Amino acid sequence: MSTTLNAPGRIAASLQNIGVQQTNSGVSTGSTWLKGEGEVIESVSPVDGASIGTVRSASKAEYEQVIATAQRAFTEWRTWPAPKRGEIIRQFGEELRRHKADLGKLVSYEMGKSYQEGLGEVQEMIDICDFAVGLSRQLHGLTMHSERPEHRMYEQWHPMGLVGIITAFNFPVAVWSWNTALAWVSGNVCLWKPSEKTPLCGVACQHIIAEVFKRNGVPEGVSILINGGREVGEWMSHDERIPLVSATGSTRMGKAVGAAVGQRLGRSLLELGGNNAIIISDKADLDMSLIGCVFGAVGTAGQRCTTTRRLIIHDKVYDAFKEKLVKAYGQLRIGDPLDENNHVGPLIDAQAVSMYQNALKAAVEQGGRVLVEGGIVSGAGYESGCYVKPAIVEAKPDMGIVQEETFAPILYLLRYSGDINEAIAIQNGVKQGLSSAVMTLDLREAERFLSAAGSDCGIANVNIGTSGAEIGGAFGGEKETGGGRESGSDAWKAYMRRQTNTINYGSKLPLAQGIKFDL
């Protein structure tokens, strides 16, 4: 059974421009689309509650079929020179530029983030393609001097093989591209399981890359799409034929994936939850700080792993900054994310709304004081039931709900009265360790925050917010965030295996460490 599209007129043209037709299932090996013998996944837009379409997921037999195709593809793809693979990715980036508006609109409509954020997500895809093109000529190792005469040593990097990619709904296309661009340029083939909440974004991306692959003779199986539910992720996690599984999602999900992959001594790259904080020092520029805090808290309706969830504010500026926040929240416009006048779109589904309500209730029960009321937005234009009001709660750092990550626009205000070390201790006092920031004009405070005695997060910023990472830097976090790194810097090494080589160009075979072994 094929994909069935019921797309409303507002998105139908974009799907058509990308090439998504009713003859496609949710399972593909590149330009070939399988029947899809698994369960039906319905894509419902949180924007208006309309059904965009249904996608047939993979059966176990089809999963085995695509694995075999990927294995065959790897034997050829790994032999292509890296710069030639880079040229393929360059062309993919050009296609993304051509489809940026249409894909950005689909991301916005299927996921619910603002159209500007949807465009930004596609731009991240373009940026990582550009990064990978340059990387294709820089996958270098090291040379080392040998202790033995007439010997030389060096190390090189080889592709691992099949890379499994499990992505979350909140960034339905960008995180896939972070992984695939680096994995492909490194010589791997990729198997992608998109979130079942945003299956059509996966179908659209597969269409775009398939055209590039087809005209360049890339073997079928370098890009595999496997739509499906939890069981597909479990198949991938337990599959010894997939040496690396990259998974983005909740900490609970990541622990399950990490345990399964670790049990078979595979590698996992985990990008999990965040409980991110911004410290507002008494030496901060409050006006500049406001923008970073508000966008960090309400962008993507609080559904980013880098969303700002805690503000740690010095007593001396607490009241002044609180007043600025309340005023700014009063100016937020909630509504259709495709309307660029709106700041906040919907949560992804009814389950997310329920989690938001439960978190607000728990915050009050645990002693929090609601500063900006939350609640569900109803009336004309909000029929999906997924629109909620960004809320602000004055709280204490040790409250149970403050220690948790709630994927919704709830911001907790916390006080500190001592020096920067007190604020850092509060910032570090949670189980997650993704993103963090300090707002200060004091050089000593900034450097303390960035030092070994400072933030324990994978990302630590000064005078910018917690969200909005650039692809040039490695992205990821510590503690229950998983410890993985994606995107820029040397994150490419996660997708490759290191090999140390020693070459003897002499006529004798001396042993290392001066060991004698004569026959």
Side-chain angles (χ1 to χ4, degrees):
M1 184 175 178
S2 64
T3 298
T4 301
L5 295 178
N6 311 309
R10 65 195 313 191
I11 198 67
S14 292
L15 287 167
Q16 186 175 8
N17 291 340
I18 294 171
V20 180
Q21 305 292 336
Q22 290 190 216
T23 55
N24 306 129
S25 73
V27 189
S28 170
T29 57
S31 59
T32 301
W33 292 82
L34 279 62
K35 183 179 179 181
E37 298 171 340
E39 296 182 354
V40 174
I41 300 172
E42 183 178 19
S43 175
V44 177
S45 172
V47 175
D48 53 17
S51 174
I52 309 175
T54 57
V55 175
R56 274 281 188 180
S57 60
S59 65
K60 190 61 165 65
E62 288 176 318
Y63 173 80
E64 292 296 329
Q65 181 180 345
V66 300
I67 287 288
T69 304
Q71 288 179 307
R72 289 193 297 270
F74 175 59
T75 61
E76 178 182 343
W77 182 242
R78 66 185 175 186
T79 66
W80 286 39
K84 186 176 179 181
R85 296 193 297 257
E87 167 59 18
I88 304 303
I89 296 170
R90 185 196 67 79
Q91 293 180 35
F92 179 41
E94 290 303 309
E95 286 300 306
L96 289 170
R97 286 177 171 89
R98 190 165 70 87
H99 290 295
K100 181 176 178 179
D102 289 317
L103 185 55
K105 189 174 183 180
L106 175 60
V107 168
S108 177
Y109 187 64
E110 188 173 33
M111 183 268 148
K113 64 175 59 177
S114 74
Y115 180 51
Q116 279 298 314
E117 291 184 73
L119 292 174
E121 186 167 344
V122 181
Q123 186 60 49
E124 284 192 48
M125 302 176 76
I126 295 168
D127 292 344
I128 197 64
C129 285
D130 289 348
F131 182 90
V133 173
L135 188 64
S136 69
R137 296 180 184 271
Q138 299 182 69
L139 298 172
H140 44 67
L142 299 171
T143 60
M144 294 147 283
H145 288 281
S146 173
E147 67 184 55
R148 289 165 284 184
E150 298 183 310
H151 283 60
R152 71 179 179 92
M153 297 176 63
Y154 72 98
E155 68 177 25
Q156 59 182 330
W157 296 83
H158 293 305
M160 296 185 68
L162 278 61
V163 173
I165 303 168
I166 302 171
T167 59
F169 73 87
N170 59 328
F171 280 85
V173 296
V175 174
W176 167 72
S177 72
W178 291 357
N179 284 273
T180 50
L182 299 190
W184 282 337
V185 81
S186 299
N188 301 288
V189 302
C190 297
L191 301 96
W192 179 23
K193 180 208 166 308
S195 168
E196 51 269 47
K197 297 180 181 181
T198 51
L200 289 176
C201 283
V203 171
C205 288
Q206 186 75 341
H207 271 280
I208 294 170
I209 192 61
E211 288 300 312
V212 175
F213 280 10
K214 186 175 181 181
R215 66 174 178 253
N216 286 276
V218 174
E220 191 80 3
V222 171
S223 180
I224 300 285
L225 177 71
I226 322 174
N227 268 295
R230 177 177 177 178
E231 71 284 352
V232 175
E234 291 176 345
W235 296 340
M236 293 168 67
S237 299
H238 288 90
D239 196 332
E240 294 182 354
R241 296 166 294 185
I242 303 177
L244 171 65
V245 176
S246 175
T248 303
S250 68
T251 297
R252 177 191 56 78
M253 180 276 290
K255 287 180 177 180
V257 171
V261 176
Q263 181 69 26
R264 57 180 176 84
L265 298 182
R267 293 192 206 171
S268 57
L269 198 168
L270 304 175
E271 298 287 358
L272 311 176
N275 191 353
N276 316 294
I278 298 178
I279 297 171
I280 309 294
S281 165
D282 59 326
K283 303 174 185 66
D285 180 328
L286 299 187
D287 290 332
M288 183 179 72
S289 302
L290 184 66
I291 297 173
C293 292
V294 175
F295 176 74
V298 307
T300 322
Q303 298 172 115
R304 288 178 177 231
C305 52
T306 55
T307 289
T308 304
R309 309 201 182 278
R310 298 174 294 145
L311 290 187
I312 304 166
I313 310 171
H314 197 282
D315 262 337
K316 290 182 180 179
V317 295
Y318 186 90
D319 290 335
F321 196 70
K322 179 174 70 172
E323 183 179 344
K324 288 178 179 290
L325 271 175
V326 172
K327 183 178 179 181
Y329 268 56
Q331 298 171 359
L332 293 175
R333 292 182 294 273
I334 305 167
D336 187 336
L338 293 175
D339 180 347
E340 296 188 61
N341 292 313
N342 292 324
H343 299 104
V344 183
L347 294 178
I348 187 66
D349 55 21
Q351 182 182 6
V353 173
S354 179
M355 291 175 62
Y356 160 84
Q357 291 176 302
N358 291 338
L360 281 178
K361 181 181 178 183
V364 173
E365 291 175 347
Q366 293 171 21
R369 175 176 173 267
V370 176
L371 193 62
V372 174
E373 291 282 349
I376 300 174
V377 183
S378 58
Y382 305 105
E383 288 83 1
S384 70
C386 294
Y387 293 87
V388 301
K389 299 174 185 177
I392 300 177
V393 179
E394 293 184 293
K396 301 290 185 183
D398 58 354
M399 287 168 50
I401 193 63
V402 175
Q403 294 285 313
E404 299 176 11
E405 177 192 41
T406 302
F407 234 48
I410 302 174
L411 180 64
Y412 300 107
L413 303 192
L414 313 173
R415 289 177 180 263
Y416 78 104
S417 57
D419 62 13
I420 192 66
N421 294 310
E422 179 189 349
I424 291 171
I426 296 172
Q427 132 71 35
N428 292 346
V430 294
K431 292 182 289 186
Q432 307 85 359
L434 179 52
S435 188
S436 58
V438 63
M439 299 295 186
T440 182
L441 300 180
D442 186 295
L443 178 62
R444 289 178 175 175
E445 286 191 330
E447 290 296 333
R448 169 64 67 172
F449 181 74
L450 300 176
S451 74
S455 170
D456 63 1
C457 294
I459 299 170
N461 300 326
V462 176
N463 291 327
I464 65 169
T466 59
S467 61
E470 299 179 31
I471 62 92
F475 179 91
E478 302 300 326
K479 301 190 292 188
E480 286 199 353
T481 300
R485 293 297 185 274
E486 295 174 336
S487 192
S489 185
D490 65 349
W492 60 271
K493 292 180 179 179
Y495 306 91
M496 303 193 81
R497 58 183 177 87
R498 188 196 309 250
Q499 185 181 82
T500 301
N501 308 111
T502 304
I503 298 172
N504 178 0
Y505 57 90
S507 59
K508 297 180 180 179
L509 204 161
L511 300 177
Q513 292 85 47
I515 295 173
K516 301 295 183 182
F517 187 79
D518 298 323
L519 295 176

